[in-house]
Amino acid sequence: MQSIILTLSRKNMLKNKLPLVIIFFLLIISCKKEDGAKVLYLGHSLPQSHPVHKGILEFQKALENKSGGTLKVKIFPDGQLGSEREVLELLQIGSVAATKVSAATLSNFVPEYHILGIPYLFRDKNHRFEILEGAIGKSILEKGSKFWLRGLCYYDAGSRSFYTSSKPIRTPDDLRGLKIRVMNNQMAINMVNAMGGSATPLAYGELYTAIQQGVVDGAENNPPSFVTSNHYEISKYYTLDQHSAVPDVLLIGTKFWDKLSDKEKIWVQQAADESAQAQKKFWSDSVDESMRIAKEAGVEIIIPDKSLFAKKSKSVLEEFVNKYPDMETIVNQIKNE
């Protein structure tokens, strides 16, 4: 079996204090073949009920079918191999073949992904997918190769909106004084602060308890994540301001990719593209179901004037182009498409 992975995550390596010589030995033997098949090990942090995981299952099925069983995918969900950042680092050293991460996390490795987190960059869902599936989106996917992280496709992660436990958010002024959990991503931090809240980076796995204990007043995320995380149980206000639409990205490490034949590379890319189309439907169905569950649980769904939030967040774009002036052209291309 060829599997470009260490079956122990870096977290487990550190926990068990494995000597470096053993770690390198595990990496070497992980490249063996078994039954003539190459096995692509894929780790991600989402639960198996999540629509993105279902999209990954489609990738698994499509790749095995296209390759006649010579390429297989073994999936490790639920953060079994570590956090998004940890798994990305495992891809870079060649001990994991693939992963799914948020473009926000990926932007800490590949700067161009910052663009996709700019608040209110996309006019609507159709515009977003025209960009992601067109030349601009594909160009950004390719940018990661120089960092050993080749993008294969985007998965729909919907639009992110605010949810709170203590008070409803109807205008940006209502965010004043509230601690809002965000990903450890500078653009997300700048956005919440610009809107008047107090951005609080926090690990996703710690968020339920943090809201419950009042460490933070709320967070921002899409409907399926709001529900599958059970945050709707303790956050009774959900404001659909839809401030950003940060996609998920299916990635393959170049250390694995470069070992594939030209035909195998085609199969992998085709399987990824097909899984992305299937995942869109999974996502749409999940959004509908998640909103139903939230409403039945007594969550107040608030439809605000999004223009108020967009106006407050304009400084985020200005700061971005000042920091990355070479990316302003791409931003303008997206806005003018």
Side-chain angles (χ1 to χ4, degrees), residues 160-178:
R160 301 177 73 91
S161 295
F162 293 112
Y163 55 88
T164 50
S165 59
S166 55
K167 57 176 275 192
I169 305 300
R170 303 187 190 282
T171 71
D173 289 341
D174 295 324
L175 284 164
R176 199 168 296 145
L178 296 186

Side-chain angles (χ1 to χ4, degrees), residues 38 71 259-269:
K38 294 178 182 177
L71 287 177
K259 294 179 183 294
L260 298 176
S261 68
D262 290 344
K263 183 178 289 187
E264 288 171 333
K265 289 176 180 177
I266 291 172
W267 290 335
V268 170
Q269 186 61 63

Side-chain angles (χ1 to χ4, degrees), residues 59-76:
F59 172 66
Q60 178 188 51
K61 182 172 66 175
L63 184 55
E64 185 164 348
N65 287 341
K66 290 178 183 298
S67 68
T70 61
L71 287 177
K72 296 184 178 181
V73 181
K74 186 170 178 59
I75 303 169
F76 292 81

Side-chain angles (χ1 to χ4, degrees), residues 119-120 122 159-162 239-245 304 306:
Y120 300 103
F122 302 111
S159 297
R160 301 177 73 91
S161 295
F162 293 112
T239 302
L240 300 183
D241 64 298
Q242 299 178 326
H243 46 257
S244 63
K306 290 192 286 188

Side-chain angles (χ1 to χ4, degrees), residues 12 23 36 77 110 192 214 229 255 310 334:
N12 288 332
I23 294 174
V110 185
V192 170
S229 63
K255 291 185 182 297
I334 291 173

Side-chain angles (χ1 to χ4, degrees), residues 125-142:
K125 186 174 181 178
N126 288 337
H127 179 224
R128 174 166 32 113
F129 280 109
E130 284 176 8
I131 297 301
L132 294 180
E133 295 173 354
I136 295 174
K138 291 177 181 177
S139 173
I140 294 174
L141 288 176
E142 292 169 1

